[in-house]
Amino acid sequence: MSTLRLAWRDGRTAAVEDPEGTVLDAAEAAGLALPFGCRTGACGTCTGRVLAGEVSHDRRPRALKRRHLDDGYVLLCIATPDGDCAVEVGAEVKRDLLANPFR
């Protein structure tokens, strides 16, 4: 038995017991809405960040650079939990990856 814990920056949390499929699939099966776009790892809309545990990408995460992967970012549409894990989710996570040219 494993648990996928999801955390939003507004303080909400949720837990999915014995998640099946990708993080996005498991969240949807539990009735939790997460942002997503392509479901192929190409757009990055579903970007999350691993807080604890491990996840594996089912295929190459084209929307993330090596430095993003090294910092724990994952694409929830193609990332599968490897046992107990916690993942930060929500649209705000993707914004971490975008440089603001107006700063």
Side-chain angles (χ1 to χ4, degrees):
M1 181 170 167
S2 64
T3 302
L4 167 64
R5 297 190 186 286
L6 303 175
W8 287 261
R9 289 188 177 168
D10 64 6
R12 290 179 294 143
T13 61
V16 180
E17 300 295 332
D18 294 325
E20 292 188 20
T22 66
V23 173
L24 181 60
D25 291 340
E28 287 181 332
L32 301 167
L34 297 179
F36 69 92
C38 67
R39 289 189 180 267
T40 64
C43 74
T45 302
C46 65
T47 300
R49 187 166 173 242
V50 176
L51 301 173
E54 301 279 335
V55 301
S56 301
H57 284 111
D58 298 340
R59 65 181 86 160
R60 188 171 67 87
R62 292 177 288 165
L64 295 178
K65 297 180 180 193
R66 169 52 48 198
R67 69 177 193 271
H68 300 144
L69 296 168
D70 293 344
D71 288 341
Y73 292 97
V74 294
L75 298 178
L76 305 179
C77 69
I78 59 169
T80 304
D82 295 333
D84 291 340
C85 64
V87 180
E88 183 179 43
V89 296
E92 298 84 6
V93 178
K94 180 181 178 185
R95 290 187 202 129
D96 291 350
L97 309 181
L98 304 174
N100 182 346
F102 303 107
R103 285 189 192 176

